[in-house]
Amino acid sequence: MKKVIITLSLAGLATGVWAQQQNKTAMKYAPVISAELAKKHLSILASDEFEGRETGKPGAEKAAKYIAAEFKALGLQPVKDSYFMDVPLIETSFNVSAFNVGSTAYTAGKDFSATGTLGGNTINAKDVVFIGYGIGADTYNDLKDGDIAGKVVLYISFGEPVVNGISKVSGTDKMSKWGTDRATRISFIQSKKPALILAVNPASSQVRRGNGARMTVKADNTAPVVTTAPVYTITPAIANELLKPTGKTITELKAAIDANGTPQTQTVATTVTTTYAGLEIPVKAVNVYGLLPGSDAKLKHETLVISSHYDHVGMLPEGTPGDRIFNGADDDGSGTTGVLSIARAYSQAAKAGKGPRRSILFLTVVGEEKGLLGSEYYSQHPAIPVENTIADLNIDMIGRVGEEYNGKADSANTVYVIGSKMLSSDLYKVSENANNTYIKMNLDYKYDDPNDKNQFYYRSDHYNFAKLGIPIAFYFNGVHKDYHGLGDDITKINFPLLAKRAQLVYYTAWDLANADKRPVVDGKNTR
């Protein structure tokens, strides 16, 4: 009996009898979300034919068409007469044709990476300004007394000064946003109008990632582009070449700052020359969505969003030996498979006259791997008014066991649920209740900690809903050794686990879409 009785205060339901009927109906259609169905979808989405589904490439277009065809076959309604939402993206291609330190020449994509805005320039500098960590907080400021306008600057792009276990920035044993968010420091340094920024990163695999092409959402207005200093991410070896006149290495200069938390800004007599140019290219990209209208005339204007991103990171360059396709079976073929499977279950319920009271928008977005771009555009141009969107349940990687659960007894019965407590205590209660009533998985809330170094709450598409004050829950299996690697293929997927996690989302959605009241917003974002 306990298996079918739902607590009235959590879901806002009217009577115990009605609740039991709802539970039985929900359980009748949940088995539609099966390992077999998941394998059918993912075998297509994560196939070599889809070429890693990179935004703006033919593989992503194939994936979008496959998803739209499935939504149409299920009887979901197009939104504004289409299953596609055009997302106006632009790719800024930033090319460095020359970069020399003294007489030594370095190559972009091999020795360093570079990003920048439109326009081009040639820089001939006779000195470089070392600006420590490049932090500009009230409690610690590397540039408090320095003017770097028009200069080439060098800074340590990782960490922050810590003395005796206490950060000089936060004043606690926790790292500040200056230390965890690279963009914060870059924006601060760029505001000081340097000519070129050289960022030292010891992780060579992150340094050598090509020549700086990046995508952004095209602005609605035609305001002139603001030109900022380009950023070259370099290795410690190149930094040491720059610092030779000081007789010290970058490691030694970092240690000097960390010894007492005192900035060590200094000008170094080193010749640097570089030539670069930035170009802008339009990118064809679409979000894909389908709407299941609610059955209750009074509630159908309110809509629950169930989302995932269908894009991944594409392929290695042609001519690369061996496997060169990043199939992205888990990231996020598994989440998109979950959305398609959940949509089928709801579609069958609706066709039998048992559809949800509120409407559900099934949304698969593009450009997540490029910086949450598809969901960013949706949040700026929502198909459903923000005030009528009750929550977003976002699924990003649910097909495998994360590294923290490898070998544990409950490894195949666990999922991280992130953010359900952040904006709505009701959403958290509904999520817990749905799990306890139907699925009984181990829900891990570890990543709800705002100070967690991984910052997962801010790293998937749900965050663009959260920024609008819409309650969210993010379902995630954790990272693993194949994360963004060539090994993230369908042979590694645990399909029964994928289906079970998707059923958890389905049941949570069922209770949200059928409750008398929408979840209250009584929390706030931490940024």
Side-chain angles (χ1 to χ4, degrees):
M1 183 62 70
K2 290 181 179 178
K3 201 170 185 180
V4 296
I5 294 178
I6 190 167
T7 304
L8 304 185
S9 61
L10 296 182
L13 303 180
T15 68
V17 172
W18 194 83
Q20 291 182 37
Q21 291 173 344
Q22 280 293 304
N23 292 358
K24 289 179 180 178
T25 303
M27 289 188 288
K28 178 178 180 180
Y29 296 99
V32 172
I33 305 165
S34 65
E36 293 73 23
L37 177 60
K39 189 170 185 178
K40 169 184 174 292
H41 285 310
L42 195 53
S43 295
I44 296 169
L45 290 168
S47 65
D48 285 355
E49 180 185 351
F50 282 56
E51 299 177 333
R53 307 186 306 278
E54 184 174 6
T55 298
K57 304 295 185 182
E61 185 176 2
K62 290 179 182 178
K65 289 180 178 178
Y66 176 80
I67 296 164
E70 180 68 10
F71 284 168
K72 183 177 181 179
L74 293 176
L76 301 184
Q77 292 185 1
V79 180
K80 298 180 181 178
D81 300 320
S82 180
Y83 293 102
F84 301 110
M85 173 187 233
D86 289 330
V87 180
L89 300 181
I90 53 174
E91 182 174 75
T92 302
S93 177
F94 190 80
N95 298 296
V96 179
S97 56
F99 176 48
N100 298 277
V101 176
S103 60
T104 304
Y106 297 99
T107 303
K110 177 185 175 183
D111 303 311
F112 68 99
S113 66
T115 59
T117 52
L118 298 182
N121 195 13
T122 294
I123 296 172
N124 293 291
K126 296 182 179 180
D127 52 48
V128 173
V129 182
F130 173 66
I131 58 171
Y133 286 97
I135 291 173
D138 292 338
T139 49
Y140 174 93
N141 192 333
D142 284 297
L143 293 174
K144 184 177 181 181
D145 301 313
D147 179 9
I148 59 172
K151 300 287 188 178
V152 175
V153 299
L154 171 69
Y155 86 102
I156 303 163
S157 69
F158 56 96
E160 61 187 40
V162 176
V163 179
N164 298 322
I166 301 299
S167 164
K168 292 293 290 185
V169 185
S170 69
T172 71
D173 60 354
K174 303 291 186 183
M175 195 171 289
S176 72
K177 185 179 178 182
W178 288 91
T180 60
D181 185 8
R182 183 172 182 264
T184 297
R185 272 188 279 186
I186 289 176
S187 295
F188 168 69
I189 298 169
Q190 286 177 329
S191 73
K192 301 298 182 180
K193 308 298 184 183
L196 175 66
I197 300 170
L198 304 177
V200 186
N201 190 322
S204 59
S205 63
Q206 295 182 27
V207 170
R208 300 160 187 164
R209 277 188 175 173
N211 210 4
R214 70 186 186 98
M215 289 185 190
T216 56
V217 175
K218 183 178 177 64
D220 288 336
N221 57 46
T222 56
V225 176
V226 177
T227 301
T228 55
V231 179
Y232 294 5
T233 303
I234 64 173
T235 61
I238 297 177
N240 291 340
E241 186 69 22
L242 286 159
L243 294 168
K244 266 187 178 179
T246 70
K248 295 182 179 180
T249 65
I250 191 71
T251 301
E252 290 169 334
L253 289 178
K254 180 179 183 298
I257 299 173
D258 293 345
N260 55 18
T262 302
Q264 300 285 322
T265 302
Q266 59 178 297
T267 299
V268 183
T270 300
T271 301
V272 173
T273 61
T274 187
T275 299
Y276 63 82
L279 302 173
E280 187 176 277
I281 305 168
V283 176
K284 182 180 180 181
V286 293
N287 294 331
V288 189
Y289 45 23
L291 181 69
L292 181 70
S295 61
D296 188 321
K298 294 182 179 180
L299 294 178
K300 65 184 301 180
H301 69 286
E302 295 184 348
T303 302
L304 170 68
V305 177
I306 301 178
S307 63
S308 69
H309 72 91
Y310 69 85
D311 67 298
H312 194 52
V313 298
M315 299 186 291
L316 291 172
E318 192 171 348
T320 302
D323 181 16
R324 65 188 187 95
I325 300 176
F326 296 90
N327 298 102
D330 193 27
D331 184 14
D332 184 28
S334 64
T336 301
T337 292
V339 170
L340 292 173
S341 300
I342 296 166
R344 178 169 291 195
Y346 274 101
S347 172
Q348 291 194 13
K351 288 174 182 177
K354 303 293 184 181
R357 300 170 72 193
R358 288 181 176 83
S359 300
I360 299 179
L361 182 70
F362 296 94
L363 172 67
T364 61
V365 298
V366 73
E368 192 271 357
E369 302 290 3
K370 305 295 185 181
L372 313 186
L373 300 182
S375 58
E376 176 188 335
Y377 185 75
Y378 180 90
S379 72
Q380 295 168 350
H381 307 83
I384 307 299
V386 171
E387 62 270 20
N388 293 340
T389 303
I390 69 164
D392 170 51
L393 305 182
N394 184 53
I395 317 172
D396 192 349
M397 297 174 60
I398 57 166
R400 292 181 57 170
V401 174
E403 58 190 14
E404 293 180 338
Y405 277 90
N406 277 332
K408 292 187 178 180
D410 54 356
S411 62
N413 194 46
T414 295
V415 65
Y416 293 103
V417 181
I418 303 172
S420 64
K421 304 175 184 179
M422 294 289 194
L423 294 175
S424 174
S425 58
D426 280 354
L427 177 55
Y428 167 70
K429 292 172 184 176
V430 170
S431 173
E432 278 283 301
N433 191 64
N435 182 58
N436 293 335
T437 302
Y438 304 107
I439 292 289
K440 302 189 186 305
M441 294 190 75
N442 172 38
L443 307 187
D444 192 327
Y445 295 102
K446 171 183 177 178
Y447 295 123
D448 271 0
D449 180 1
N451 294 315
D452 179 77
K453 64 180 181 180
N454 296 286
Q455 299 287 285
F456 287 126
Y457 176 67
Y458 307 99
R459 287 173 53 184
S460 191
D461 296 295
H462 59 277
Y463 186 58
N464 280 316
F465 288 85
K467 287 194 295 187
L468 298 175
I470 296 171
I472 66 91
F474 166 31
Y475 301 85
F476 176 55
N477 55 218
V479 296
H480 44 70
K481 66 178 182 179
D482 295 316
Y483 175 65
H484 281 194
L486 292 169
D488 183 10
D489 58 48
I490 196 166
T491 63
K492 311 284 182 64
I493 297 296
N494 183 330
F495 285 102
L497 179 56
L498 190 164
K500 189 170 186 178
R501 287 166 171 164
Q503 284 184 359
L504 171 64
V505 181
Y506 160 86
Y507 280 125
T508 304
W510 187 277
D511 287 352
L512 289 168
N514 287 296
D516 287 337
K517 297 180 181 179
R518 61 190 290 172
V520 65
V521 178
D522 53 5
K524 61 181 180 179
N525 285 305
T526 56
R527 285 188 185 177

